[in-house]
Amino acid sequence: MAPRYATVYPLVTTRALARPFTYELTDGAAKGAVVSVPLGRSRRRGVVVELVDEAPAGVEPVPIDSVLDELPPVLVDLALWVADYYGSTPGRALELIAPVKRKRRKEQSPPGERQALTDEAEPPELTSEQRAALEPITTALDTGGGHFLLYGETGSGKTEVYLQACAAALERGKTAIVLVPEIALTPQTLGRFQARFGDAVALLHSGLTDAERRDERQRIAAGQAKVVVGARSAVFAPLRDVGVVCVDEEHDPSYKQESDPRYDARTVAAKRAALEGAVAIYGSATPRPESWDKLQRLELGGRLGGSLPGVRVVDLRREAGYPLSAPLLKELGAIEEQGGKAILLLNRRGVAPALHCRACGTTLRCPHCDVALVLHSDGSLRCHHCGHAETTPEACPTCGSVELARIGAGTQRLERELAKKLPRLVPIRLDADTARKPEALAAALRRFAGTDRAALLGTQMVAKGHHFSGVALAAVIDADTALGVPDFRADERTFQLLTQLAGRSGRDAPGRVLIQTFQPDSRPVELAARHDVPRFLTGELERRRELGYPPFRHLVRILVSGPEPGPVNRALEEVRAGLQRDDVLGPAPLFRLRGRHRAQLVAKTDEPRRVAGRAGQLLAAAAPAMRKAGLTAVVDVDPQSL
Ligand code: ADP
Ligand code: ZN
Ligand code: ZN
């Protein structure tokens, strides 16, 4: 006898309704069907997670209204796993696979038109390294899947391996997912997939309008689109029979979603590949220590058609002239003379990252966030955490002295200095202030590509994905910004940033790289200057093993915020007491954000689900008291920043 009932999770965020409901089957709805169901007095969308023969005792099921959509059943298992692992609710996690159609936003030109800057053809033959990498990939494709790290310098041919792996999947009647950190920063990658697979490529990312997303999802559901390229949410693409999942630039922290469900698309990619019997390929020139330690490594080696650029470290303790030291000015002067392009990385927006009183030592801070206010070129002081803005005072608010000194440099000041010292070089600034919209970003990148004697300067955006020809120099203005971050990944992030930026130089002709720093002897700077990725990762893994950090143990972070510091700490002390069997650090205070006091516990554990589940229970039990005190809590499994 066929099942008569369906277990349905309504797509709601209220935790009280975060439970399954039983409905009578209609229309032959199957597992994975997105349905409209009556719930209380309203109609809700829901997802069928299971078909059952009997309703629970005492329940008189009503029928499903209608079937709205049909998703691959494997996505249901994936979403329920996400809910469980990351301590979210099934409703919220299922929304990832059945996104709600939100209200229409402004019109944009179709995605394909806006992106795609390339016409790179398929190479006549693969290199022996590429063939050697593809061999185990295709074998795994035919034998139930596997997980690989594709390690190779920028320009070593990784993208070509993804393209070939996707083609191999298609040949076998399967489909493929290609994840990239940010579509807007990697238009070339998308262009190459479109050039190779034409209409079989669909694009999914958060910048699409609802109409665009609906069209793309329809083409995927209809089986027309077989290769999905997109940012982290594309890991939930409604493809059937996935054969390959590629994760490009696998080290990029933007794969982690920073709101509930706090999933990491890289971990979800591994889970989806396992559920589908697919091959997961993680590619990077600077892999995560986690991947280096755990995955079978496929090495592509060095850059095709060129060697890596020479790196010069400029010791800022000995060289005056920050942000433009004499050696850097000389390199830029050569470009101004002979032509070419430069990329300059400065990971701070604004004119100066802080204003400091020379008389009493006060630093001007955001009244809501405990961070220094950043001076901008319009004379305003802005908080980069909450957006608070005020006009720059004439005198120190503490002591009245007018001796307010600007500390450090931001991108706006760098732009100004460049214009002053190198007037024939065209500065093109790229940061969150200039590139608020994807179109502005694409326009800036196009302008840089089309201008000789241009300097692209900006925050870490300039170190990512894009490939430009004629880049004679890549320079880091201040390697110390990333080193100073209080996070156990500070060294890793610094190393990745420096190495990624170095990879932007000299892709077609010999290029130069220059790193300005006050800490030339620090491990990440020294090893990035030598392009020694294996040595860096080996050292990093040793350190993490000693300290019990990932990949040796998991972290679970429990963050509480509220209007007063006392109740925040007390709530965390209680959670800590309830987690007695575990290795818990904290409560440690964090800087205030938007006027709210914050503190966190960090648990090191081999059982992240158990710890997250226990923390969730403790917080749920304390919920009424916490609400009264205005406290909110977040449990973050495998956090990517602390
Ligand atoms: P990565 O993804 O590692 O940065 P790409 O796949 O983009 O490397 O390759 C770098 C450059 O080399 C690209 O211009 C690409 O077209 C070219 N390329 C890749 N594979 C080959 C090959 N087998 N023969 C010739 N050129 C290749
Ligand atoms: Zn003062
Ligand atoms: Zn603020």
Side-chain angles (χ1 to χ4, degrees):
M1 202 179 74
R4 291 183 50 208
Y5 302 105
T7 307
V8 174
Y9 267 107
L11 297 175
V12 292
T13 49
T14 358
R15 285 203 178 240
L17 293 176
R19 64 176 187 86
F21 292 81
T22 305
Y23 291 90
E24 195 181 303
L25 266 182
T26 47
D27 300 338
K31 177 175 172 181
V34 184
V35 294
S36 166
V37 289
L39 185 69
R41 250 172 287 161
S42 61
R43 295 223 144 30
R44 300 284 193 166
R45 281 176 356 115
V47 175
V48 175
V49 298
E50 200 183 2
L51 300 187
V52 288
D53 294 327
E54 284 181 47
V59 172
E60 200 55 58
V62 295
I64 286 170
D65 275 340
S66 59
V67 176
L68 307 171
D69 201 356
E70 284 169 45
L71 300 172
V74 71
L75 284 183
V76 171
D77 300 328
L78 189 66
L80 295 179
W81 178 85
V82 164
D84 180 43
Y85 185 82
Y86 292 103
S88 185
T89 64
R92 288 183 202 207
L94 286 162
E95 203 141 285
L96 296 168
I97 62 170
V100 202
K101 295 168 180 82
R102 276 165 309 178
K103 271 199 232 91
R104 221 189 153 98
R105 289 201 320 215
K106 65 179 171 14
E107 287 296 327
Q108 282 179 321
S109 53
E113 214 171 288
R114 251 182 294 136
Q115 273 103 20
L117 295 165
T118 194
D119 46 2
E120 275 194 61
E122 184 166 1
E125 61 182 317
L126 297 176
T127 64
S128 56
E129 287 83 0
Q130 285 169 328
R131 282 199 305 273
L134 279 161
E135 215 263 331
I137 290 173
T138 42
T139 304
L141 193 50
D142 291 327
T143 54
H147 304 261
F148 300 97
L149 171 63
L150 182 63
Y151 163 57
E153 281 155 14
T154 313
S156 62
K158 295 185 294 296
T159 307
E160 187 58 40
V161 172
Y162 307 143
L163 286 159
Q164 298 287 337
C166 292
L170 265 50
E171 271 166 32
R172 288 159 175 77
K174 299 188 175 204
T175 61
I177 297 174
V178 181
L179 301 182
V180 295
E182 266 162 279
I183 286 280
L185 290 174
T186 47
Q188 284 106 333
T189 305
L190 174 65
R192 276 167 77 182
F193 277 84
Q194 285 175 330
R196 195 69 57 89
F197 299 112
D199 279 348
V201 176
L203 175 63
L204 284 185
H205 66 91
S206 59
L208 297 185
T209 64
D210 291 334
E212 283 167 358
R213 181 171 309 117
R214 201 168 43 236
D215 288 353
E216 293 297 74
R217 288 182 66 89
Q218 242 151 34
R219 293 201 309 119
I220 296 166
Q224 281 169 304
K226 296 180 191 303
V227 180
V228 172
V229 181
R232 61 173 177 258
S233 62
V235 74
F236 299 106
L239 287 165
R240 284 177 201 266
D241 214 358
V242 172
V244 169
V245 185
C246 303
V247 182
D248 191 24
E249 311 286 3
E250 69 101 28
H251 60 275
D252 198 299
S254 70
Y255 281 117
K256 171 87 175 175
Q257 168 142 307
E258 296 297 353
S259 59
D260 186 18
R262 297 173 177 268
Y263 70 90
D264 189 318
R266 296 165 294 197
T267 311
V268 180
K271 184 67 187 177
R272 181 156 190 186
L275 287 171
E276 306 239 18
V279 182
I281 308 169
Y282 298 84
S284 178
T286 52
R288 289 178 291 167
E290 288 89 332
S291 307
W292 191 259
D293 186 56
K294 291 220 150 53
L295 299 179
Q296 180 178 339
R297 209 178 299 158
L298 309 171
E299 300 204 14
L300 289 185
R303 183 182 277 190
L304 296 168
S307 54
L308 278 172
V311 177
R312 168 158 184 201
V313 176
V314 174
D315 186 346
L316 288 177
R317 294 170 307 186
R318 302 214 172 86
E319 293 283 350
Y322 183 84
L324 297 171
S325 67
L328 178 53
L329 275 175
K330 190 157 164 251
E331 296 280 352
L332 290 168
I335 293 176
E336 201 180 35
E337 281 298 309
Q338 294 149 26
K341 296 181 205 300
I343 298 182
L344 306 180
L345 170 75
L346 177 55
N347 225 349
R348 274 186 304 221
R349 293 181 285 138
V351 173
L355 274 191
H356 189 74
C357 172
R358 280 195 207 282
C360 76
T362 295
T363 300
L364 296 179
R365 293 179 184 280
C366 173
H368 317 293
C369 302
D370 290 347
V371 296
L373 288 167
V374 178
L375 178 65
H376 278 241
S377 59
D378 61 1
S380 66
L381 286 174
R382 290 171 191 270
C383 171
H384 284 187
H385 287 286
C386 75
H388 166 86
E390 55 186 67
T391 49
T392 306
E394 300 285 326
C396 170
T398 309
C399 75
S401 160
V402 292
E403 294 262 332
L404 291 177
R406 300 168 174 199
I407 301 177
T411 47
Q412 292 178 350
R413 165 146 171 237
L414 180 61
E415 184 180 26
R416 230 188 267 164
E417 299 259 326
L418 273 175
K420 202 165 70 192
K421 300 226 164 93
L422 300 145
R424 283 184 294 148
L425 214 54
V426 180
I428 300 173
R429 181 157 63 90
L430 202 62
D431 57 29
D433 297 317
T434 63
R436 222 164 255 139
K437 300 195 190 116
E439 301 91 273
L441 180 66
L445 294 178
R446 261 199 309 275
R447 198 161 146 243
F448 181 59
T451 312
D452 187 35
R453 295 181 167 78
L456 184 70
L457 63 118
T459 51
Q460 56 188 343
M461 288 181 196
V462 303
K464 295 201 176 176
H466 23 255
H467 307 170
F468 297 105
S469 57
V471 175
L473 173 73
V476 183
I477 301 302
D478 183 345
D480 306 293
T481 14
L483 282 173
V485 177
D487 187 319
F488 78 96
R489 288 194 175 90
D491 278 13
E492 178 191 341
R493 294 274 147 78
T494 303
F495 182 81
Q496 287 166 350
L497 200 59
L498 299 183
T499 309
Q500 293 288 334
L501 184 76
R504 306 294 141 221
S505 175
R507 286 182 65 96
D508 46 5
R512 306 264 300 143
V513 176
L514 206 136
I515 301 174
Q516 302 191 139
T517 177
F518 284 98
Q519 304 166 71
D521 304 323
S522 70
R523 247 169 44 84
V525 171
E526 207 191 327
L527 293 173
R530 284 196 270 147
H531 302 289
D532 200 341
V533 177
R535 180 105 173 249
F536 174 76
L537 289 171
T538 309
E540 193 61 16
L541 283 165
E542 267 167 39
R543 189 175 70 92
R544 294 201 189 171
R545 189 191 302 275
E546 276 165 27
L547 298 172
Y549 280 123
F552 303 101
R553 306 195 78 187
H554 288 268
L555 300 184
V556 177
R557 175 191 196 221
I558 299 137
L559 187 147
V560 171
S561 69
E564 300 296 332
V568 167
N569 276 314
R570 277 196 294 280
L572 284 172
E573 292 290 358
E574 272 175 42
V575 173
R576 191 193 159 117
L579 294 173
Q580 13 144 332
R581 281 196 295 134
D582 297 287
D583 191 359
V584 183
L585 311 175
L590 300 171
F591 63 79
R592 271 186 314 148
L593 188 61
R594 295 185 179 87
R596 290 174 70 77
H597 293 268
R598 306 184 308 152
Q600 68 181 13
L601 299 176
V602 176
K604 294 177 179 176
T605 175
D606 301 325
E607 304 167 282
R609 281 200 229 194
R610 183 182 58 74
V611 171
R614 181 83 187 115
Q617 283 167 1
L618 293 163
L619 290 167
M626 286 180 62
R627 244 195 314 275
K628 211 177 284 166
L631 304 184
T632 53
V634 162
V635 178
D636 193 354
V637 177
D638 300 339
Q640 293 300 303
S641 61
L642 292 179

